[in-house]
Amino acid sequence: MRAETFNRGVERWTWEVRNASVNILRRTKSTGRLRNELKARLLTDREGGPAYVGLGFRFWRYGAFREYGAGRGYIVKDGIIMKGHSAWADKKKRGELRSLRVSEYRIRRMRTVDEHYAVIRRSPLPWLDPPIIQNIDRLADLSGEYYGDEALCKVLEKFNKITIEKRYGKK
């Protein structure tokens, strides 16, 4: 497989995953900011290689909160959505924890539950992970085919170096 064919296949894969995610987001009652600004990114080699070496998706931070069902007064604790807030938001609690020499890193990740039995008006919306999971096998086959062929060519190029008897010019 040539690099151009591989690149076209990777571009097609990223656009299919992006379009599937946009279709999931389109079914919600939202402003559309997340779906309109979801971008697929392709990473080229720093040394100027012909093939893509990575890919990703760029979106607003609240897209991750939407995936979990968190934000705006709701937290996810042990996989369950609850009414709550970050310990960092409570200045008094933050001061107490700092006086106990708890690191800022830990304080920012602590979650405080406000009401254990509150009515939850949030639900998670898996909008990016399912399309990736459904299509990852195709991307693996594509990259395995390209990089497998490339690895085989490199082995054949180095064949004379790994054998005892050198076969210069012979096949």
Side-chain angles (χ1 to χ4, degrees):
M1 176 183 285
R2 293 190 0 239
E4 298 83 29
T5 310
F6 173 72
N7 287 347
R8 275 196 309 274
V10 170
E11 288 170 7
R12 192 175 318 113
W13 186 88
T14 55
W15 282 105
E16 287 174 7
V17 169
R18 183 197 172 281
N19 290 339
S21 297
V22 165
N23 287 336
I24 292 170
L25 290 170
R26 193 170 276 139
R27 293 185 293 230
T28 64
K29 298 174 186 172
S30 65
T31 61
R33 189 173 115 188
L34 185 61
R35 78 169 170 256
N36 292 337
E37 298 189 26
L38 175 63
K39 306 282 185 229
R41 300 287 182 184
L42 299 165
L43 182 66
T44 55
D45 191 10
R46 284 186 179 177
E47 284 85 40
Y52 292 129
V53 294
L55 60 90
F57 296 94
R58 191 172 193 152
F59 51 88
W60 288 94
R61 181 184 296 181
Y62 79 89
F65 293 115
R66 189 68 187 103
E67 180 96 17
Y68 291 121
R72 295 193 180 184
Y74 292 93
I75 61 169
V76 177
K77 192 166 189 171
D78 298 328
I80 300 168
I81 301 170
M82 302 176 171
K83 287 281 256 178
H85 63 277
S86 163
W88 185 260
D90 187 358
K91 289 184 180 181
K92 185 178 177 185
K93 177 113 173 156
R94 184 186 339 161
E96 291 171 3
L97 289 168
R98 281 201 154 167
S99 68
L100 295 172
R101 304 186 70 112
V102 177
S103 71
E104 181 179 324
Y105 176 84
R106 295 241 186 249
I107 297 170
R108 285 186 182 272
R109 278 146 188 81
M110 287 182 186
R111 303 289 180 250
T112 304
V113 177
D114 292 339
E115 301 174 40
H116 284 281
Y117 301 106
V119 176
I120 305 300
R121 294 191 174 110
R122 285 253 168 163
S123 61
L125 175 69
W127 60 275
L128 185 60
D129 288 349
I132 291 174
I133 292 167
Q134 290 168 357
N135 294 304
I136 197 69
D137 290 336
R138 284 192 13 252
L139 181 64
D141 292 341
L142 188 66
S143 58
E145 188 176 333
Y146 174 73
Y147 285 107
D149 290 349
E150 189 177 294
L152 181 61
C153 289
K154 288 189 189 249
V155 166
L156 292 175
E157 286 174 11
K158 305 290 183 188
F159 182 71
N160 279 335
K161 291 183 181 179
I162 61 174
T163 57
I164 295 174
E165 182 184 330
K166 304 301 178 197
R167 294 179 169 84
Y168 296 109
K170 299 178 186 173
K171 289 199 176 194

